[in-house]
Amino acid sequence: MSFETISLLLNWMEMGALLAILFRLSSTFNLIGNTQRELRRAIYHLGERRGAELGTDNAFGRPGIAPVSRSPYPRASAESTVGADDLAHLPLSQPS
């Protein structure tokens, strides 16, 4: 076989391998998407059931989970967020 024939054959094999990888990635992303949809559906139904058990209603008149934060850090409100004006008076540090 000549060098050109071998090179062409290797290029086609490389193209086939790349296509196989792409098809495998496609099925992997489909699996991830399906899993994400199922998790969202399960969380939604769990929230409905838990809300019905707790007897809470959300803004749409359907059962939901009471808005309780389990985080030890309080959420920042619009008044407590830091803006560019708040940082203007701070001195810039010089690299040592």
Side-chain angles (χ1 to χ4, degrees), residues 4-76:
E4 291 83 13
T5 307
I6 293 173
S7 177
L8 186 62
L9 181 62
L10 288 176
N11 283 338
W12 278 104
M13 288 177 61
E14 182 180 356
M15 187 70 71
L18 288 174
L19 281 173
I21 291 170
L22 284 176
F23 281 120
R24 181 67 181 156
L25 280 175
S26 171
S27 63
T28 301
F29 285 129
N30 284 334
L31 179 63
I32 290 170
N34 289 337
T35 304
Q36 184 180 18
R37 277 188 292 279
E38 289 297 321
L39 283 172
R40 284 183 180 167
R41 188 176 298 130
I43 290 169
Y44 176 77
H45 289 304
L46 178 65
E48 279 186 342
R49 189 175 65 203
R50 187 168 180 202
E53 290 172 1
L54 296 175
T56 59
D57 291 332
N58 62 16
F60 301 108
R62 297 186 310 202
I65 298 175
V68 176
S69 174
R70 295 176 190 250
S71 172
Y73 307 106
R75 286 190 172 169

